[in-house]
Amino acid sequence: MTLPPLSLYVHMPWCVRKCPYCDFNSHAAPELVPQAQYIDALLEDLQNDLSAVQGRELTSIFFGGGTPSLFAPEQIGRLLEAVRRQIPFDSGIEITLEANPGTIEHGRFAGYRDAGINRVSLGAQTFNEEQLRLLGRIHGARDIERAVEELRQAGLDNFNLDLMYGLPAQNVAQALLDLEAALSLQPAHISQYQLTLEPGTVFYHRPPPLPDPDDCWQMQIECQEVLAARGYEQYEVSAYARPGRRSRHNLNYWEFGDYIGIGAGAHGKLSRLDEGEVIVRTTRVKQPREYMSRAADLRVSERRVVPAADVPFEFMLNSLRLIDGFDEHEFESRTGLPFATVSRTVAEAQRKGLFELDRPHHWRATPNGQRFLNDLQEMFLPEPEGAGA
């Protein structure tokens, strides 16, 4: 095992309102968000994982949520300045802020730019006003356009638009209209993913009328064709980018890199050479109030060494989302395991038409493998204890 690149994920847990489809750790914001107190807690929390830096620089930072744009630029800047004093930044570091178009005031993006943000991810979801209402969003289509205007005025041209398809009663033509509206704003990156009903959400317990799966598949295929024709390269299951604008932070996840996760409910993944070449998963306390009130060393609610038998599945769970796949050396360097550990499963997936060797020692999912990605990934689950040939 060799140390992979290192990122930082910062979870900001509050939203103006919880969306009925959202299963992220987000909470309705109080009248006054305790911004300064929460930033203080984040900086204390960071101390728990500083030993895992092991001489590396940060290649990316991502503020996710929740709605990070509820926090003032001054607070974001204070956090970034304090992090930089403790972990060196790569010269080309990507620092992304998720933002809700309905929470952006005039001049706000200029403040975020001055604080150090150089990439923004806007949660557009759809440009259809009725769909926005059904999804519980607090913004309208005009708010998305206004937010993009604000981004450009601030000189932040590296931005992503989140879009969903398979929305309640949506048809293929409507999905294409949404995509055209997004493309008219000329984002550097588009994330387009299908609405799914996640356990624990309002939609899961009271499902809206969703399109037929075959219609959703047609939406995906036709949208992919449009994106390719407009110069957006698909590099991951739901990610499309103009040349040179792939998300460095998300690529680090999918390439099985390391990331420190701080904030209420944040998850982290760290390679620890100092503990015997193991991979450690961390989880923070979920409830914001509890997170802030606990002592710094008690904010980590779980610290788990990943069993060696589970590592191949975890690697494939990420890497197989990439259209380009992975090479055998990358598997060995990121997991600390010989490729022979998975070679039999890889050969079986190849026989089933789910895997292909597109160049020497380099594997990727076939188009059929991408369509049935969950089935392909599950082939790498460890055998139950006691199972034998």
Side-chain angles (χ1 to χ4, degrees):
M1 180 187 294
T2 56
L3 284 173
L6 179 67
S7 296
L8 173 66
Y9 174 74
V10 185
H11 192 74
M12 318 297 262
W14 290 288
C15 287
V16 173
R17 183 170 64 203
K18 179 85 170 178
C19 297
Y21 59 86
C22 178
D23 70 333
F24 295 133
N25 183 40
S26 59
H27 307 263
E31 186 175 348
L32 288 176
V33 174
Q35 296 188 32
Q37 183 184 355
Y38 191 74
I39 297 295
D40 289 343
L42 288 170
L43 293 172
E44 291 173 1
D45 187 7
L46 182 63
Q47 306 305 310
N48 288 303
D49 285 330
L50 282 182
S51 64
V53 174
Q54 299 172 92
R56 290 174 287 182
E57 297 179 335
L58 284 177
T59 62
S60 66
I61 299 173
F62 195 100
F63 290 88
T67 305
S69 52
L70 289 176
F71 279 70
E74 295 77 16
Q75 295 296 340
I76 299 293
R78 181 164 73 91
L79 176 71
L80 289 174
E81 183 181 348
V83 171
R84 188 196 291 268
R85 288 198 295 266
Q86 298 176 83
I87 310 175
F89 287 9
D90 178 84
S91 59
I93 190 170
E94 173 194 275
I95 306 178
T96 302
L97 179 89
E98 284 188 336
N100 186 320
T103 63
I104 295 302
E105 302 168 1
H106 182 68
R108 191 87 157 184
F109 281 132
Y112 290 132
R113 177 205 61 209
D114 293 343
I117 298 298
N118 55 26
R119 182 176 183 272
V120 170
S121 182
L122 280 177
Q125 313 312 353
T126 177
F127 289 78
N128 182 294
E129 298 290 353
E130 176 61 16
Q131 293 286 8
L132 285 168
R133 185 188 67 79
L134 290 172
L135 294 175
R137 304 297 291 176
I138 65 168
H139 68 270
R142 177 59 190 139
D143 292 316
I144 304 170
E145 297 165 2
R146 182 179 57 80
V148 170
E149 290 169 7
E150 288 276 340
L151 282 169
R152 296 200 188 285
Q153 290 173 10
L156 289 167
D157 65 340
N158 188 12
F159 68 93
N160 167 69
L161 289 181
D162 270 347
L163 281 182
M164 292 196 292
Y165 66 92
L167 301 176
Q170 188 181 46
N171 58 38
V172 175
Q174 289 170 330
L176 289 168
L177 279 174
D178 257 353
L179 180 58
E180 287 293 346
L183 289 170
S184 72
L185 299 176
Q186 301 182 353
H189 190 285
I190 289 180
S191 298
Q192 190 183 42
Y193 50 95
Q194 183 178 343
L195 172 65
T196 55
L197 305 183
E198 302 291 351
T201 64
V202 172
F203 273 5
Y204 185 82
H205 295 290
R206 295 196 296 275
L210 297 183
D212 180 89
D214 288 339
D215 288 339
C216 290
W217 176 246
Q218 193 63 31
M219 292 176 198
Q220 179 181 333
I221 294 300
E222 294 196 27
C223 286
Q224 286 174 340
E225 291 173 354
V226 170
L227 284 159
R230 302 294 182 84
Y232 290 82
E233 180 186 18
Q234 184 184 17
Y235 66 100
E236 186 266 347
V237 170
S238 58
Y240 307 80
R242 287 180 164 175
R245 294 303 180 98
R246 296 181 177 189
S247 167
R248 291 186 67 183
H249 189 84
N250 289 339
L251 271 174
N252 192 43
Y253 286 157
W254 298 322
E255 292 173 349
F256 212 51
D258 278 359
Y259 51 96
I260 295 171
I262 59 174
H267 292 257
K269 177 255 173 184
L270 297 165
S271 303
R272 300 299 305 238
L273 303 187
D274 55 342
E275 296 182 19
E277 296 194 353
V278 296
I279 293 170
V280 176
R281 294 281 187 185
T282 60
T283 307
R284 264 51 176 184
V285 171
K286 277 187 76 171
Q287 292 296 325
R289 184 178 300 176
E290 183 183 2
Y291 175 82
M292 289 186 291
S293 64
R294 283 197 178 194
D297 59 347
L298 296 178
R299 293 192 176 118
V300 180
S301 61
E302 183 182 7
R303 186 182 189 278
R304 179 178 67 91
V305 174
V306 179
D310 293 346
V311 171
F313 173 68
E314 293 207 3
F315 177 89
M316 297 298 176
L317 201 60
N318 292 277
S319 291
L320 292 185
R321 292 184 61 89
L322 291 169
I323 303 303
D324 194 45
F326 67 94
D327 64 42
E328 296 173 11
H329 172 72
E330 182 181 39
F331 173 86
E332 293 180 339
S333 66
R334 297 291 167 91
T335 66
L337 300 170
F339 186 71
T341 307
V342 295
S343 58
R344 187 173 66 176
T345 306
V346 166
E348 181 185 352
Q350 186 181 28
R351 285 194 298 271
K352 291 182 175 181
L354 303 175
F355 241 168
E356 63 182 358
L357 188 66
D358 68 319
R359 53 187 184 269
H361 309 293
H362 192 277
W363 295 90
R364 67 179 183 185
T366 62
N368 213 36
Q370 288 290 345
R371 184 173 185 182
F372 299 100
L373 187 59
N374 289 345
D375 295 334
L376 175 56
Q377 291 167 330
E378 286 173 5
M379 291 179 69
F380 293 91
L381 282 168
E383 292 185 2
E385 289 188 20

